Amino acid sequence: MAMRRQFPTRDVLRRPRLRPVDLLVGAAVFALLYGLLRLGLTLTAPFSPAHAPSKISTDPSQLPGYALRSLARMFIALGLSVAFTFVYGTAAARSRRAEKVLIPILDILQSVPILGFLSITVTAFIALFPHSILGLECASIFAIFTSQAWNMTFSFYHSLLTQPRELDEAARLMRLTKWERFWKLDVPSSMIGLVWNGMMSFGGGWFFLTASEAITVNKHSYALPGIGSYVATASAQSDLGRVLLAIGVMIVMVLAVNFLFWRPLVAWSERFRIETTEASEQPRSIMLDTLRRSHVPRLLGRPLQPVVTGLDRATRVFGIADRPLTPNVVRRRAGDAVFGVVVAIGVVIGAASALNYVQRTVGLDEFAHAFALGAVTFGRVLILLVASTLIWVPVGVKIGLSPRLARYAQPIVQVLASFPANFLFPFFAAFLIATGISLNVGGIVLMALGAQWYILFNTIAGAMSIPSDLREAMDNFGVRGWQRWRRLIIPGIFPAYVTGGITAAGGAWNASIIAEYVTYGHHTLVATGLGAYIAQATVNGEFAKILTGIVVMSIYVVGLNRIVWRRLYRLAEARYSL
Amino acid sequence: MASRVLTGAGTTILAADHITKAFTTPNGDPLPVLDDISFQLREGEIVALLGKSGSGKSTLLRCLAGLIAPSSGRALYKGEPVRIANPGVAMVFQSFALLPWLTVLQNVELGLEARAVPADQRRDRSLRAIDLIGLDGFESAYPKELSGGMRQRVGFARALVVEPDALFMDEPFSALDVLTAENLRTELLALWSRSDFPTRAMLIVTHNIEEAVLLADRLFVLSSNPGRIQAELTIDLPRPRDRRSPAFEALVDQVYGILTGREPTPEVEAPARPGPTDVPLPSATVGGMAGLLEILAAHDGREDLPDLAHELTFEVDDLLPLVDATTMLEFSTVDDADLELTDLGRVFVSADILRSKELFARQAREHAPLVRSIWNSLHATKDGTLNEGFFIDILRRGFTEDEAQHQLDIAIDWGRYGELYDYDANTGELTLDTGAPDVPVLST
């Protein structure tokens, strides 16, 4: 239970140590980004701005409509994420060869700053649909998708790998077809992790929705009708009242989606728990209870039954979910070799041409420049982590150790975590402009607005997982004050805190792209840092710089994950798991 | 004798044909688990595979079920080599392996669904199987709502509904409490004697000796590391069998004798001083050993193993490692199926704690190969300190990763108790315990 309450769930962050193959994968992602970029550039067709307004109306009566359009984008992205998860996760878990390539890529993708992608994807999608707003829609949905899909896919993949052996054997002996096995065993046994990670990633998705609805790429400003661009436009007009209005609508929407969609789904997914013991505290949902009492599920189910049967029958052609016990070793080895060589050649050629592109345009020195800027942003991330830890860990422990407080506080923190921090940026920007404080300092606060909640959220989960008999024993022996923190509380929350720290740090790097470069009214505030570097390159359409910036930021994130976080994570698992 | 009369009684359904299975150790060396196993499962009989943990009995079952491939040799079904999951086999699992999100009926129907049986027939056959196994009324329940015994009934119904040629059972009763297990065994035997019981042969893997003698027509005792067929017994006691009959008890004693006897090592000459990978440490704690010896002392130093197991409600897997460990350290000896306290054992039980520790330290250093080699290696270093990785590397030559770790854990437990050496979990370092009462002055 306590494990599940962390976000992301623990196994999502299980990482191998830094290996030489990471270099290859890094090069592959570099090449992939470059490929996307090329695609976008070659496809660039004349774009008629008439189809995509650069700002939208801030008439409050439009707001509900905008909100619904934004919501639709979120759910389309969620649907795509689920589909992607099923295909990618299954391929990685079931095919030995695919696993070797897919999992390292996913691992890196999870650490690549999504917002840096935006410029590339916007360009590419607009080029694909040159005469309609569809390209922008796709780019926005894609940005949300990238914020949701990786966690869910990792969760699904790990569930497949850790499937109880005897269930796998039972399925094979019953000779289930591939299709039957997928829906009867694979998906249900992964459901709990999938729903939990889906819910939390969905929350994170609002941030990217907001960032992607209104964007300036290559000196063009685009605005999609939606609540995110409403805030952006109101901010450009220095109209804080309307920003406040949008915040209200946003809160209502987050709460409603939680109540009507996620809570019922979480409660429903409990039936897929494999451990035969009941969870100590069953998640409940009024919505689900109502649905269960009604006839709606049965009414919907009946006409679908023939479809299910038909699909079961039609998919028989894919064969049963079993593999020959004795594969042909020679052929397999040969296949492996060919596969490896082809992949390696592709990666090397791609990375070389990407490198060549950077050298021709801005020169390789740009990397050094970007690394220096990255160090500045890293400093901000560090300060942010220390500050949020000092503030939120005591609060989180206080909440987590009191069951009554925790019951109310955890859902609230969850909503706070899903509330897009960029809605608050206009206020801080106005404040910074009024007081003259530099964004170099203020940027830290902006980055923290979203990232801090993961520390609080996971600290609460960690504190809740400290067994009450341990606490009673400490009371009994009179262990209190700093000694109690050192001996009980810090070790107790450590595993959850590490998970929160990794997520918060990742979120902060991502947020730096919009937090180090802020516009409000006619003012543009710029901080020194890698985030601002990427943001400026996006506005100016300097694709080589964007590519350089993203690659360098990914190197920072992946490097820190592997070198620092992984050690803490292993320590947490080995020594401090309760 | 089995009361079943089948038209094809005696014909072979399944066969193990010189099956050998070796897993690969982390060092890349093959680790044999099963060595040259051949036997047949014939129509109309119940065969039991009995062995300690490490005898590969479950592995053998899975080879025959087509779930894993043997390294050499073949599993044959109706004379044909098994290449994928064996279509003639249905399995009942120790952990039940029911899908918790499906109802009892849906769980039972699943195997038929996979065979594309039309919906109405599927329902009929499933309800009949549920009926047969005594689950009627529970069709719409979820496994979570059922007790362990009822869950295993679902496991049986799910296996039997597909009318397999052979029913495989992997320790099917060991997760149940004693009474429920006994009840289910009796019912299974009653069903087996009926002419409409939908399977033709049964193969059960167990570590419970009485269960094996109670159920089986033929019984194979497997030795450990690697598993070999150590003995084959034909049991023709009339059914229902009486556990208290002298013939039954004699058989149980005989099997105990086989399991605790010195395991034959025909090909390899036993090395003069066996190394840590030749003779693994039995999975026993010092506390467990001491407890066993004290009980033995309370019984005047001699007790029948089946009685001992019965008194402690232990199964073979719980008791035998303790027996093996105390015998390895020469605190006890096994004679037939009797465990006897040695003179050393008596001293160990009656001495005060320091003297006991000294004695234990001496015996462990002398007779437990891994403890000896750790102690010697630590002495060979200047500062009496070595990292656990060193020993894990050695152990990996003969054990899987998990087993190597487990062996080291046992050795650390024993060494700590004997104050031979200490272990720091943070650094993973083993250090000579200089406070040990009988450590000689270091000299290099």
Side-chain angles (χ1 to χ4, degrees):
Chain A
M1 201 59 193
M3 292 280 269
R4 208 205 59 188
R5 293 204 166 195
Q6 295 176 25
F7 174 76
T9 41
R10 299 275 294 279
D11 42 11
V12 170
L13 295 174
R14 196 179 300 276
R15 287 284 180 278
R17 67 198 154 76
L18 198 60
R19 300 151 304 179
V21 72
D22 286 338
L23 291 178
L24 190 71
V25 175
V29 173
F30 185 41
L32 198 72
L33 287 173
Y34 174 66
L36 266 177
L37 185 68
R38 281 252 67 102
L39 184 74
L41 290 179
T42 51
L43 287 175
T44 302
F47 182 75
S48 64
H51 289 290
S54 63
K55 53 175 57 121
I56 60 167
S57 156
T58 54
D59 181 355
S61 67
Q62 301 275 354
L63 196 49
Y66 288 157
L68 287 180
R69 289 189 71 154
S70 294
L71 191 61
R73 277 175 209 125
M74 291 289 285
F75 274 102
I76 292 172
L78 180 67
L80 290 175
S81 302
V82 171
F84 175 85
T85 295
F86 284 166
V87 173
Y88 200 98
T90 307
R94 299 277 177 248
S95 158
R96 208 173 40 90
R97 257 175 230 152
E99 181 180 25
K100 291 253 177 348
V101 179
L102 295 183
I103 290 308
I105 288 183
L106 196 60
D107 182 18
I108 304 278
L109 279 179
Q110 206 178 22
S111 312
V112 170
I114 298 162
L115 289 175
F117 266 130
L118 264 182
S119 47
I120 297 179
T121 52
V122 165
T123 318
F125 278 116
I126 286 176
L128 274 177
F129 305 98
H131 297 297
S132 73
I133 204 165
L134 203 59
L136 284 177
E137 287 282 6
C138 289
S140 172
I141 290 169
F142 185 77
I144 306 167
F145 162 85
T146 50
S147 74
Q148 296 174 341
W150 318 147
N151 273 342
M152 292 169 68
T153 306
F154 255 120
S155 159
F156 185 60
Y157 165 75
H158 277 286
S159 299
L160 290 185
L161 286 196
T162 53
Q163 224 164 44
R165 192 182 74 149
E166 297 202 326
L167 285 186
D168 167 68
E169 290 176 344
R172 284 163 62 200
L173 273 176
M174 279 190 277
R175 304 170 75 73
L176 297 186
T177 64
K178 288 195 169 79
W179 179 260
E180 281 169 337
R181 178 186 172 125
F182 183 73
W183 291 108
K184 294 259 153 88
L185 177 58
D186 294 348
V187 173
S189 66
S190 322
M191 192 63 90
I192 290 188
L194 208 53
V195 167
W196 183 255
N197 283 296
M199 173 169 76
M200 297 302 288
S201 306
F202 190 87
W206 291 111
F207 180 87
F208 298 98
L209 170 92
T210 310
S212 65
E213 277 182 355
I215 185 173
T216 304
V217 176
N218 200 5
K219 301 191 180 77
H220 275 294
S221 292
Y222 309 110
L224 273 173
I227 192 166
S229 46
Y230 184 92
V231 170
T233 311
S235 167
Q237 295 168 353
S238 314
D239 190 344
L240 289 182
R242 296 206 160 155
V243 174
L244 211 57
L245 192 66
I247 289 178
V249 173
M250 190 69 209
I251 291 176
V252 171
M253 194 149 62
V254 168
L255 288 176
V257 170
N258 221 27
F259 178 79
L260 295 174
F261 186 73
W262 288 112
R263 287 295 299 175
L265 209 55
V266 167
W268 174 76
S269 70
E270 271 307 300
R271 65 194 301 227
F272 299 106
R273 186 170 292 282
I274 289 203
E275 307 95 82
T276 37
T277 49
E278 299 275 325
S280 55
E281 196 186 325
Q282 284 275 4
R284 297 200 63 85
S285 155
I286 302 168
M287 181 70 191
L288 182 69
D289 292 343
T290 317
L291 264 180
R292 274 188 176 149
R293 271 198 292 274
S294 72
H295 294 289
V296 177
R298 226 172 314 150
L299 283 178
L300 284 177
R302 204 169 299 145
L304 284 177
Q305 194 52 47
V307 180
V308 173
T309 318
L311 276 174
D312 273 352
R313 197 163 308 147
T315 51
R316 238 156 226 292
V317 292
F318 296 124
I320 64 168
D322 202 3
R323 51 197 177 276
L325 290 176
T326 42
N328 185 328
V329 179
V330 176
R331 193 194 289 173
R332 194 171 78 178
R333 292 249 168 85
D336 281 353
V338 171
F339 181 76
V341 167
V342 168
V343 169
I345 289 177
V347 167
V348 169
I349 290 178
S353 38
L355 209 58
N356 184 27
Y357 172 72
V358 174
Q359 192 181 13
R360 267 189 296 112
T361 46
V362 287
L364 289 180
D365 290 346
E366 200 63 22
F367 276 106
H369 179 49
F371 266 108
L373 288 174
V376 178
T377 301
F378 175 49
R380 285 198 188 98
V381 173
L382 215 58
I383 295 172
L384 175 161
L385 281 178
V386 171
S388 347
T389 300
L390 290 179
I391 295 169
W392 290 120
V393 166
V395 174
V397 167
K398 180 96 189 151
I399 295 174
L401 290 184
S402 151
R404 229 163 40 96
L405 263 180
R407 200 166 333 127
Y408 296 111
Q410 233 201 0
I412 295 176
V413 177
Q414 194 189 319
V415 170
L416 285 176
S418 26
F419 184 82
N422 27 11
F423 272 47
L424 302 175
F425 281 18
F427 293 98
F428 280 85
F431 175 75
L432 293 179
I433 291 164
T435 55
I437 297 174
S438 158
L439 190 63
N440 279 322
V441 179
I444 301 173
V445 179
L446 292 188
M447 282 156 70
L449 281 178
Q452 58 185 340
W453 303 117
Y454 293 109
I455 290 189
L456 176 58
F457 188 80
N458 283 296
T459 304
I460 295 177
M464 283 170 76
S465 72
I466 298 177
S468 59
D469 52 354
L470 281 187
R471 283 159 55 200
E472 282 164 9
M474 295 301 112
D475 286 341
N476 185 242
F477 293 116
V479 178
R480 49 187 109 252
W482 171 236
Q483 193 194 9
R484 189 184 181 99
W485 274 86
R486 207 160 55 96
R487 290 298 180 211
L488 175 71
I489 296 174
I490 293 177
I493 62 169
F494 191 69
Y497 170 79
V498 170
T499 310
I502 301 176
T503 318
W509 278 103
N510 230 323
S512 73
I513 296 175
I514 56 171
E516 291 181 348
Y517 184 92
V518 180
T519 54
Y520 178 76
H522 303 293
H523 301 272
T524 298
L525 303 173
V526 184
T528 308
L530 189 55
Y533 174 87
I534 295 175
Q536 274 174 315
T538 304
V539 171
N540 298 331
E542 296 166 296
F543 288 103
K545 283 191 175 180
I546 295 174
L547 189 62
T548 312
I550 296 177
V551 168
V552 170
M553 194 178 276
S554 306
I555 290 173
Y556 265 105
V557 176
V558 174
L560 289 169
N561 277 353
R562 292 291 158 83
I563 293 164
V564 181
W565 289 115
R566 179 179 170 272
R567 278 176 203 209
L568 293 176
Y569 192 81
R570 284 219 341 209
L571 180 68
E573 287 214 314
R575 177 99 11 254
Y576 298 118
S577 55
L578 282 167
Chain B
M1 202 40 229
S3 43
R4 284 167 70 79
V5 183
L6 291 162
T7 45
T11 53
T12 300
I13 297 176
L14 271 160
D17 178 23
H18 299 284
I19 286 185
T20 297
K21 177 75 189 176
F23 292 108
T24 310
T25 66
N27 279 14
D29 304 322
L31 175 70
V33 182
L34 289 172
D35 186 25
D36 194 26
I37 305 260
S38 296
F39 75 92
Q40 280 107 36
L41 179 66
R42 304 189 192 104
E43 205 157 299
E45 68 173 353
I46 306 177
V47 169
L49 299 172
L50 183 74
K52 298 188 231 181
S53 55
S55 62
K57 51 193 190 296
S58 284
T59 307
L60 177 58
L61 193 75
R62 280 167 173 73
C63 283
L64 290 170
L67 292 172
I68 54 179
S71 306
S72 70
R74 295 176 305 171
L76 301 169
Y77 169 59
K78 292 181 171 166
E80 291 292 313
V82 175
R83 292 218 170 78
I84 55 169
N86 193 330
V89 165
M91 182 119 96
V92 175
F93 295 88
Q94 180 179 12
S95 66
F96 320 132
L98 303 174
L99 301 183
W101 39 87
L102 300 184
T103 62
V104 167
L105 183 62
Q106 287 169 332
N107 262 298
V108 174
E109 274 187 292
L110 195 56
L112 295 176
E113 231 172 286
R115 272 154 222 236
V117 175
D120 42 344
Q121 273 187 48
R122 205 159 73 201
R123 172 97 5 146
D124 279 355
R125 282 173 65 179
S126 303
L127 289 175
R128 249 183 291 141
I130 287 174
D131 230 19
L132 180 75
I133 212 76
L135 272 170
D136 27 349
F138 289 92
E139 294 86 352
S140 60
Y142 286 95
K144 248 175 250 197
E145 307 167 44
L146 304 178
S147 65
M150 293 308 264
R151 278 184 210 161
Q152 194 55 300
R153 282 172 198 263
V154 183
F156 273 104
R158 178 178 71 178
L160 291 172
V161 75
V162 297
E163 300 180 357
D165 283 338
L167 179 67
F168 278 23
M169 294 173 273
D170 184 16
E171 310 206 3
F173 308 112
S174 66
L176 307 177
D177 64 83
V178 181
L179 290 178
T180 310
E182 187 60 23
N183 172 244
L184 213 49
R185 273 193 288 264
T186 314
E187 280 191 42
L188 179 68
L189 282 175
L191 289 174
W192 173 246
S193 64
R194 281 167 56 163
S195 58
D196 61 345
F197 192 59
T199 188
R200 301 193 287 163
M202 300 206 279
L203 180 63
I204 181 170
V205 158
T206 179
H207 59 248
N208 181 325
I209 297 174
E210 290 198 18
E211 177 174 289
V213 175
L214 192 72
L215 292 177
D217 297 308
R218 280 195 301 149
L219 170 61
F220 291 96
V221 182
L222 299 183
S223 63
S224 300
N225 301 318
R228 296 194 179 101
I229 292 184
Q230 199 176 355
E232 177 185 350
L233 282 80
T234 303
I235 303 174
D236 40 19
L237 298 175
R239 293 175 197 274
R241 289 172 185 164
D242 177 7
R243 282 169 187 267
R244 276 172 300 276
S245 75
F248 192 95
E249 287 188 346
L251 264 168
V252 170
D253 273 5
Q254 187 186 351
V255 177
Y256 258 103
I258 297 168
L259 274 176
T260 50
R262 283 192 59 84
E263 298 191 343
T265 41
E267 296 119 69
V268 202
E269 283 275 304
R273 297 212 96 178
T277 53
D278 302 322
V279 181
L281 300 183
S283 175
T285 62
V286 179
M289 283 186 255
L292 179 69
L293 294 173
E294 270 166 37
I295 288 171
L296 208 52
H299 283 98
D300 291 330
R302 191 180 177 96
E303 178 63 316
D304 184 43
L305 276 173
D307 291 346
L308 205 54
H310 194 71
E311 182 184 336
L312 300 170
T313 59
F314 269 13
E315 289 193 6
V316 176
D317 268 15
D318 307 321
L319 184 60
L320 286 192
L322 293 174
V323 172
D324 289 347
T326 52
T327 308
M328 173 187 262
L329 299 180
E330 297 184 344
F331 291 138
S332 71
T333 54
V334 177
D335 178 22
D336 242 354
D338 284 355
L339 188 65
E340 198 176 347
L341 203 60
T342 60
D343 294 340
L344 264 179
R346 275 178 211 285
V347 177
F348 179 76
V349 171
S350 56
D352 62 63
I353 181 91
L354 274 181
R355 176 83 191 103
S356 293
K357 282 193 170 214
E358 264 176 43
L359 190 59
F360 184 87
R362 201 185 72 202
Q363 291 304 103
R365 222 169 52 212
E366 197 64 26
H367 300 290
L370 181 54
V371 175
R372 181 176 60 235
S373 75
I374 291 176
W375 199 72
N376 285 342
S377 308
L378 291 177
H379 265 286
T381 62
K382 263 210 182 93
D383 54 354
T385 298
L386 275 172
N387 196 279
E388 62 178 333
F390 174 76
F391 298 105
I392 291 282
D393 275 348
I394 294 174
L395 289 169
R396 273 186 189 150
R397 286 186 214 139
F399 300 99
T400 62
E401 190 78 47
D402 288 347
E403 282 172 11
Q405 188 60 53
H406 186 56
Q407 282 288 312
L408 190 64
D409 289 345
I410 298 169
I412 287 171
D413 180 50
W414 291 16
R416 273 177 168 164
Y417 179 81
E419 297 181 22
L420 290 168
Y421 42 80
D422 207 351
Y423 172 70
D424 182 342
N426 287 314
T427 58
E429 267 171 2
L430 288 141
T431 318
L432 271 184
D433 191 335
T434 43
D438 55 349
V439 170
V441 181
L442 288 184
S443 56
T444 22

